[in-house]
Amino acid sequence: MATTASGNTAAKATAVDPRKEMLLAIDAVAKRGGISRDKAITAWYAATLLGIDEDEAIDAASVDGPEDNGCDFIYIDNDQEIVYVLQGYVSDRTDRSAGIKKWNALVAAVANIKDPTSFKHGGRQDIYEILSEVDIGAYSLVFGLITLAAKSDQIARQRETTVRSKTYGVDSTFFYEHQESLYDKFVIARAADRNVAEDSITFNDAVAEVRGDFGQAIVGAVPASELARLHKSYNNQLFEGNVRLFIGERKGGINEKIVETAHSRPGEFWALNNGITIVADSFEKVRETKYTLRRFSIVNGCQTTVSLSRAIDHAPAAGKAQVLVRIVGAKRALLTDIVRYNNTQNPVKLAAVRLLDPIQESLRSAFAKIDYMYAPKQEGAKTVKSPKRIELDRITQYLAAMSDDTILEAVAKKAELFDRSYKSIFPRGLKPERVMLSWLIAQEIEIERASLLEASDGSADLVMKAILGIHGTPWGIYVAHALIEQSGSDMSKLTLKKMTSTEFRNAVSKYAKKAMELYSELAINIVTTGDATSNTRNELRAKPFLDKLKRTLGLRMAKASSWKLPKLNSVGV
């Protein structure tokens, strides 16, 4: 896992404004790579926010030049099977935005990336060879315009149109960064130092060293007192890369047993415990048993570490217990898989692992500014649901319900959303406003669905009760989103602050009410009414229902103007 020179430079620039701070970081990359600012911004973005090695990012930015067909930066991530294509621009004034030509050039690059022969004919054998190394058709394509410039409403609207049209297929995603959004992500990237920046760890004996495609690792026995020292020094910061924090010491629970074992059988603890895994950017031997770790976190072993710390508080002798510790210096792209496969002894949902993705961290930071708790880690007892607490499993289903491509999974296969559909639900460049919209729609749909169910409580119509059952929520979200898209609302004008207003929520409520009215009416005409309720539920989960709903909903949209639904960009503060 590489650290970037740009990140180090920016960390020193605490007394300057955001734009100057980013310019310092970008110029550091430009100087090191001997490239222009417009090239350097794509390399800096890739290294700082995509986790690409800085040398490789600089090399990827070198494709910029004559006949590059709108591709300032091309990088193929074989681990994640993604092709990144970026266009960069640094304005000379804070109030100047990028021209629409920059976006048009990026979009025009799609055809050239899919058919790289065009580069060969244009004399760019280097780009042709890069793209010919892999089967482009099997990779996801990510296209981004990175600008250190003021926001362009024209580009923002065009980006929304490009995404909404789906012209380029489900495997192509598009994003646009301007100086305001870029700085937000820059701050989040620097916040990675919430991992412990640097400390040492001392083993009882010499360690075993392992090297492989993943990177390098050391394995050995560490005294419990050493882990307790780290925990007391850094508390939850030590577990920044863990899927859950300490979940408590329930009577009869695993943590109580860890404490008891450390108390009564410290000499046997090593053999009875699975040990812990630490992921670090790098580690360095100080002496035979002592290593310095940089930018590190315990990704598996939070329960063991905290339990041992508590055990030592009650009985200092527990500090002599030995713990198997594995320290991995791995590629950043492997972090999610390391966490996932190291948490099998206490089953962890893939949803919990996804909490660690950079895109989730970005959303978490954005929602914190409006006092929403987005995708929190599990900690202690189960938390009571709140409209301002957005759980990742729920919001993922709601977002999936807004798309033709994933609505059926949202209805019938929620568990699979975090695997094969995750990248399409959370594409790079996903705006927090879209996430917020799906959350607000879902809240209002749930209210309306419950009201309709209550109204039909005494009815013997089991088919309608099935239509308004749990599947009614994702289908209601799907219809509400279709109505909003039809309304002509300029989604690029939405802000999280505006969306928290009572007026905005009331406007969304009108869409939810109309959506559930339409859904229940159309669904009853689509499903077979002569069979049992279970068959109705099965029909609601199948593609023929989606196809018929889309067709009949499209016909109803002809009357949309008479429904007098508000344009969302005109609502709120």
Side-chain angles (χ1 to χ4, degrees):
M1 299 172 70
T3 54
T4 66
S6 57
N8 293 336
T9 303
K12 298 174 184 176
T14 57
V16 295
D17 66 48
R19 179 181 166 85
K20 289 182 179 178
E21 191 173 358
M22 287 188 288
L23 275 173
L24 284 171
I26 293 165
D27 285 345
V29 176
K31 182 177 181 180
R32 183 169 179 271
I35 55 179
S36 67
R37 268 186 176 175
D38 284 348
K39 289 183 180 181
I41 191 174
T42 59
W44 168 79
Y45 183 91
T48 307
L49 299 174
L50 300 181
I52 295 171
D53 178 81
E54 189 175 281
D55 287 345
E56 293 182 16
I58 290 172
D59 188 52
S62 298
V63 300
D64 181 22
E67 302 296 330
D68 63 16
N69 293 337
C71 305
D72 290 354
F73 175 104
I74 300 176
Y75 178 81
I76 299 176
D77 185 335
N78 291 304
D79 291 331
Q80 301 294 313
E81 296 188 339
I82 298 174
V83 178
Y84 290 102
V85 180
L86 306 179
Q87 177 85 207
Y89 170 69
V90 179
S91 72
D92 55 0
R93 292 189 349 216
T94 58
D95 60 341
R96 178 174 292 169
S97 60
I100 192 64
K101 289 182 179 180
K102 288 287 184 182
W103 181 261
N104 292 340
L106 181 70
V107 173
V110 178
N112 295 308
I113 293 296
K114 291 186 175 182
D115 180 15
T117 304
S118 58
F119 290 106
K120 185 177 183 180
H121 292 162
R124 292 304 302 268
Q125 184 72 20
D126 56 333
I127 300 178
Y128 172 75
E129 290 178 356
I130 290 171
L131 295 172
S132 298
E133 290 176 357
V134 298
D135 178 7
I136 294 295
Y139 281 52
S140 298
L141 305 179
V142 177
F143 298 87
L145 175 58
I146 316 297
T147 71
L148 191 60
K151 180 182 178 182
S152 164
D153 289 340
Q154 187 180 18
I155 292 176
R157 286 193 297 271
Q158 199 58 43
R159 184 255 171 195
E160 291 285 345
T161 302
T162 304
V163 172
R164 192 165 53 246
S165 71
K166 300 178 183 176
T167 303
Y168 303 101
V170 296
D171 290 329
S172 297
T173 58
F174 300 84
F175 68 94
Y176 163 50
E177 301 283 11
H178 48 85
Q179 58 196 16
E180 290 81 6
S181 65
L182 205 55
Y183 186 68
D184 287 343
K185 292 179 174 61
F186 178 46
V187 171
I188 290 163
R190 289 190 319 184
D193 61 14
R194 284 179 312 203
N195 287 347
V196 179
E198 183 175 317
D199 207 319
S200 63
I201 190 167
T202 302
F203 293 84
N204 279 335
D205 299 296
V207 302
E209 297 185 12
V210 182
R211 293 182 181 274
D213 291 342
F214 64 87
Q216 58 181 333
I218 51 176
V219 184
V222 171
S225 58
E226 182 74 342
L227 296 177
R229 176 188 67 79
L230 290 171
H231 177 242
K232 289 191 185 311
S233 296
Y234 304 106
N235 205 348
N236 282 344
Q237 184 184 5
L238 184 61
F239 311 115
E240 185 61 32
N242 210 306
V243 296
R244 58 162 74 98
L245 300 177
F246 189 63
I247 59 175
E249 194 179 328
R250 299 190 311 274
K251 187 171 179 61
I254 184 66
N255 291 339
E256 184 187 59
K257 292 179 181 177
I258 292 174
V259 172
E260 179 185 330
T261 303
H263 278 168
S264 59
R265 307 164 69 181
E268 300 173 356
F269 191 90
W270 187 93
L272 300 174
N273 184 268
N274 287 325
I276 71 172
T277 299
I278 296 174
V279 170
D281 270 14
S282 64
F283 54 82
E284 181 181 356
K285 181 188 285 188
V286 178
R287 56 176 183 267
E288 192 66 20
T289 59
K290 185 175 181 179
Y291 285 77
T292 296
L293 312 183
R294 297 183 179 87
R295 295 281 293 279
F296 67 95
S297 170
I298 291 177
V299 300
N300 177 44
C302 173
Q303 311 309 314
T304 293
T305 302
V306 179
S307 295
L308 285 172
S309 187
R310 291 188 172 197
I312 293 169
D313 285 341
H314 297 308
K320 296 180 180 179
Q322 297 186 78
V323 184
L324 175 66
V325 173
R326 180 173 61 157
I327 299 172
V328 184
K331 300 174 183 176
R332 188 176 303 181
L334 287 178
L335 177 59
T336 298
D337 284 341
I338 290 172
V339 174
R340 182 181 181 184
Y341 293 114
N342 274 273
N343 281 276
T344 53
Q345 73 278 14
N346 294 313
V348 172
K349 293 180 180 178
L350 184 52
V353 179
R354 295 297 191 188
L355 287 171
L356 305 176
D357 282 4
I359 191 168
Q360 300 302 338
E361 183 61 27
S362 175
L363 291 170
R364 196 175 291 120
S365 177
F367 277 97
K369 294 176 182 177
I370 57 169
D371 296 323
Y372 270 65
M373 184 176 287
Y374 176 86
K377 295 179 183 178
Q378 181 184 353
E379 182 175 13
K382 188 173 182 179
T383 307
V384 178
K385 290 182 180 179
S386 163
K388 299 185 75 172
R389 180 185 172 92
I390 303 178
E391 301 289 348
L392 186 57
D393 55 349
R394 296 171 68 199
I395 195 63
T396 301
Q397 183 192 25
Y398 300 158
L399 283 168
M402 290 167 63
S403 169
D404 288 347
D405 300 317
T406 49
I407 173 61
L408 291 176
E409 287 180 66
V411 172
K413 300 177 180 179
K414 290 192 293 182
E416 296 182 13
L417 293 174
F418 292 96
D419 196 350
R420 64 182 182 181
S421 299
Y422 181 79
K423 290 179 183 178
S424 63
I425 297 170
F426 290 99
R428 187 162 294 280
L430 174 67
K431 300 296 183 183
E433 289 78 14
R434 180 175 173 83
V435 178
M436 182 67 159
L437 181 63
S438 71
W439 181 252
L440 294 176
I441 292 173
Q443 305 309 300
E444 297 303 319
I445 288 290
E446 275 290 88
I447 292 171
E448 190 63 24
R449 184 176 73 86
S451 176
L452 292 173
L453 264 178
E454 186 177 354
S456 64
D457 193 38
S459 169
D461 189 348
L462 298 180
V463 172
M464 180 55 77
K465 288 183 176 179
I467 287 171
L468 295 174
I470 58 172
H471 296 335
T473 297
W475 281 121
I477 294 170
Y478 176 82
V479 175
H481 182 249
L483 294 179
I484 290 171
E485 287 204 321
Q486 176 69 21
S487 72
S489 297
D490 186 351
M491 308 308 285
S492 68
K493 293 289 183 65
L494 297 185
T495 65
L496 289 182
K497 183 179 179 181
K498 178 185 288 189
M499 298 173 83
T500 59
S501 69
T502 301
E503 294 85 357
F504 192 90
R505 180 140 195 169
N506 289 340
V508 172
S509 178
K510 292 178 182 178
Y511 279 97
K513 188 174 182 66
K514 188 64 184 179
M516 287 306 296
E517 175 191 318
L518 282 170
Y519 162 67
S520 56
E521 179 187 342
L522 297 178
I524 198 70
N525 293 324
I526 293 172
V527 300
T528 304
T529 58
D531 295 329
T533 306
S534 59
N535 289 340
T536 299
R537 283 196 294 268
N538 288 340
E539 286 190 66
L540 294 173
R541 296 154 60 98
K543 191 173 185 301
F545 179 83
L546 169 61
D547 293 338
K548 292 175 184 177
L549 182 64
K550 283 174 61 178
R551 185 167 59 251
T552 53
L553 184 59
L555 295 173
R556 287 298 186 89
M557 288 294 193
K559 300 180 180 179
S561 59
S562 66
W563 299 333
K564 300 188 184 306
L565 295 171
K567 290 189 177 182
L568 294 181
N569 57 284
S570 302
V571 179
V573 293

